[in-house]
Amino acid sequence: MPVRTAIAGTGNRAQLFTEGLAKRDAYEVVALCDPNSVRMAFHNRMLLAAGRHTAHQWPPGRFEEMLRVERIELLIVTSVDATHDRYIEAALRAGVRVISEKPMTTDAAKATSILAAVRETGGSLSVAYNYRFNPVHRRVRSLLAEGAIGDIHSVHFEWMLDVSHGADYFRRWHRDKANSGGLMVHKASHHFDLVNWWLGAEPRIVYAQGQLAFYGPGHAHGYARPYDRVDGSAAAADDPFTLHLADNATLRELYLDAEGEDGYYRDRNVFAPGVTIEDDMAVLVSYDTGATMTYHLTAYSPAEGYRVMFNGSRGRLELNVEESTFTAPNQRVESAKGWVHGDLAAPAAGRTTITLRPLWEPPVDHTVAHDHAGHGGADARVLAALLDDEPTEGADIADARQAALALVTGLAANHSFTTGSPVRTTDILTI
């Protein structure tokens, strides 16, 4: 019999799981849980288009009843980050296997409660840190594990979000730190998990500084225009910082058509009031192995991509990924899932290189094939690992403890933003 599956949270990211489950006869999506019936109906149309039965629709207030009545065996959690804990814990205590989108949750109290639920129930919780399944990242890990640069002493990691992808966090619910934990939790937990995984290390001390330097109101750069949201605003018509929901059938159905039920606007002005997250963040981390990391995230860059440099006793390893070399203004989104990390590569995608620089020797190119769409091809691979138990060479699924270790660096950074002091991760979260 197919595994009886429910999805909690039916926004844009949930499409990956709805599509993936619908392609697998071993699973049946029997229930959807979301405060908005319009979004649930959209996912039911996806199931019908794939030749599957529609799922019953349930409101969050009846979630525990849903687990019991629908006899759920697997729960997928893709709701607003700050709500992950309630679904994860209730499902674990009901004996249900759980797969959660990252981050596992948004604060230390919720993380502690989730870890306790895993420990007390002996249940299964996996968190979809798909970056581990990108072949580029797997190649980096294998080189480091093979001792290509000897003992690893330091890492420099720069991540650039452009004024399309980066701006998107300031249009939607992520702009409120109470919902997302800020970019240190929602976005950077991807990167902190990679470093933990690459180094086989755990973070111990974090010092950070962060600011809202570009988005939100009150800046002197002159980009701000006087409107609250894009739809229906003449001032937004040619604003390069906008997302036009009406231009994309999927985004229109998921969000614009759903506004009447919950009043959620997916197309806020990125310079309007209400932004409580940072857009420019610098972090210094020390690990239990003795290695250190300097990390910087910029959410208003002209280009998109990342650079990671590892310094070791026998040389240096450099990863450079150009997801997009520049952002064209007023460019309509052709894919509902976006370009940079959606199902299409960005129109101006650049190069990816992996370079090993041994001491006293010429550099060696270790670049591997890289698909710029779907998180470097990682989305399909992580689904195969999560749903098919399909092993992926050089990658593994993040469990609750590893997810907490990815989370704690961001939580400590947020605390350091406030205190101005270094923070011990053990003072934030016991893992």
Side-chain angles (χ1 to χ4, degrees):
M1 295 290 290
V3 176
R4 297 181 64 82
T5 304
I7 301 174
T10 53
N12 202 22
R13 183 60 180 167
Q15 290 181 86
L16 172 72
F17 292 94
T18 301
E19 290 175 351
L21 289 161
K23 293 175 182 177
R24 291 167 165 84
D25 291 338
Y27 295 87
E28 174 108 25
V29 179
V30 298
L32 302 170
C33 183
D34 194 281
N36 193 296
S37 67
V38 176
R39 283 194 285 273
M40 288 191 284
F42 174 88
H43 282 262
N44 266 331
R45 289 194 294 275
M46 290 176 63
L47 291 172
L48 278 175
R52 307 302 291 267
H53 296 297
T54 58
H56 296 140
Q57 298 182 186
W58 292 79
R62 298 176 63 192
F63 177 70
E64 288 81 358
E65 180 187 355
M66 180 201 78
L67 294 176
R68 184 178 65 257
V69 170
E70 303 284 6
R71 307 190 312 282
I72 301 302
E73 299 169 278
L74 171 65
L75 174 70
I76 309 295
V77 180
T78 50
S79 59
V80 170
D81 296 349
T83 67
H84 286 187
D85 61 308
R86 67 155 298 196
Y87 297 118
I88 291 171
E89 289 188 50
L92 288 171
R93 297 193 185 283
V96 176
R97 178 193 172 201
V98 182
I99 296 171
S100 176
E101 185 53 86
K102 66 84 200 161
M104 184 172 71
T105 188
T106 54
D107 64 41
K110 291 174 179 177
T112 297
S113 188
I114 290 171
L115 291 172
V118 172
R119 185 171 56 252
E120 291 163 11
T121 63
S124 173
L125 169 60
S126 302
V127 180
Y129 277 107
N130 50 5
Y131 274 21
R132 295 182 176 205
F133 294 82
N134 183 323
V136 171
H137 301 155
R138 299 202 320 263
R139 182 58 178 148
V140 168
R141 188 174 191 242
S142 66
L143 286 166
L144 296 175
E146 291 163 7
I149 63 169
D151 296 328
I152 304 166
H153 300 312
S154 64
V155 182
H156 177 67
F157 196 146
E158 179 186 21
W159 200 287
M160 296 166 288
L161 294 169
D162 66 20
V163 285
S164 174
H165 184 200
D168 209 32
Y169 295 104
F170 298 83
R171 300 182 187 117
R172 58 195 192 199
W173 56 262
H174 303 76
R175 74 202 314 260
D176 185 350
K177 191 173 279 193
N179 290 329
S180 65
L183 290 176
M184 284 287 94
V185 168
H186 176 82
K187 183 62 181 173
S189 65
H190 259 320
H191 317 151
F192 300 146
D193 177 68
L194 275 179
V195 176
N196 294 348
W197 182 66
W198 277 329
L199 302 186
E202 298 184 6
R204 287 292 178 258
I205 300 174
V206 178
Y207 173 68
Q209 294 188 8
Q211 59 180 323
L212 184 61
F214 187 81
Y215 299 107
H219 300 297
H221 48 48
Y223 294 122
R225 299 190 185 188
Y227 64 92
D228 180 55
R229 53 88 55 98
V230 172
D231 191 63
S233 171
D238 63 347
D239 183 354
F241 291 95
T242 57
L243 174 67
H244 293 268
L245 299 174
D247 289 350
N248 185 285
T250 297
L251 294 178
R252 183 178 65 246
E253 291 179 55
L254 271 176
Y255 298 107
L256 197 59
D257 294 349
E259 289 176 2
E261 283 204 13
D262 56 15
Y264 171 58
Y265 296 152
R266 174 66 177 77
D267 61 348
R268 293 281 189 186
N269 182 345
V270 299
F271 300 111
V275 177
T276 58
I277 64 174
E278 299 82 10
D279 57 22
D280 194 300
M281 294 140 279
V283 186
L284 176 62
V285 185
S286 61
Y287 294 87
D288 61 350
T289 60
T292 60
M293 174 178 68
T294 53
Y295 172 88
H296 200 281
L297 173 59
T298 305
Y300 53 93
S301 173
E304 174 121 0
Y306 48 105
R307 305 184 184 101
V308 193
M309 286 73 78
F310 304 85
N311 300 298
S313 59
R314 295 185 178 277
R316 176 179 171 95
L317 184 65
E318 300 173 351
L319 168 64
N320 184 39
V321 179
E322 295 178 319
E323 298 280 17
S324 178
T325 58
F326 78 100
T327 305
N330 302 308
Q331 189 167 247
R332 297 297 195 252
V333 178
E334 296 175 5
S335 164
K337 299 173 187 175
W339 276 314
V340 172
H341 295 306
D343 55 355
L344 299 176
R351 299 186 309 151
T352 293
T353 58
I354 302 173
T355 307
L356 174 63
R357 300 183 185 276
L359 293 178
W360 304 297
E361 296 178 27
V364 182
D365 180 26
H366 284 273
T367 303
V368 297
H370 177 236
D371 180 359
H372 283 273
H375 291 93
D379 284 346
R381 294 182 183 92
V382 75
L383 281 183
L386 289 166
L387 300 176
D388 305 332
D389 295 325
E390 182 176 302
T392 301
E393 183 181 354
D396 54 299
I397 297 167
D399 61 18
R401 186 176 189 280
Q402 291 168 333
L405 287 168
L407 174 66
V408 74
T409 300
L411 295 179
N414 280 338
H415 191 66
S416 187
F417 291 164
T418 302
T419 65
S421 301
V423 178
R424 291 188 178 276
T425 56
T426 52
D427 290 340
I428 298 294
L429 185 61
T430 300
I431 300 174

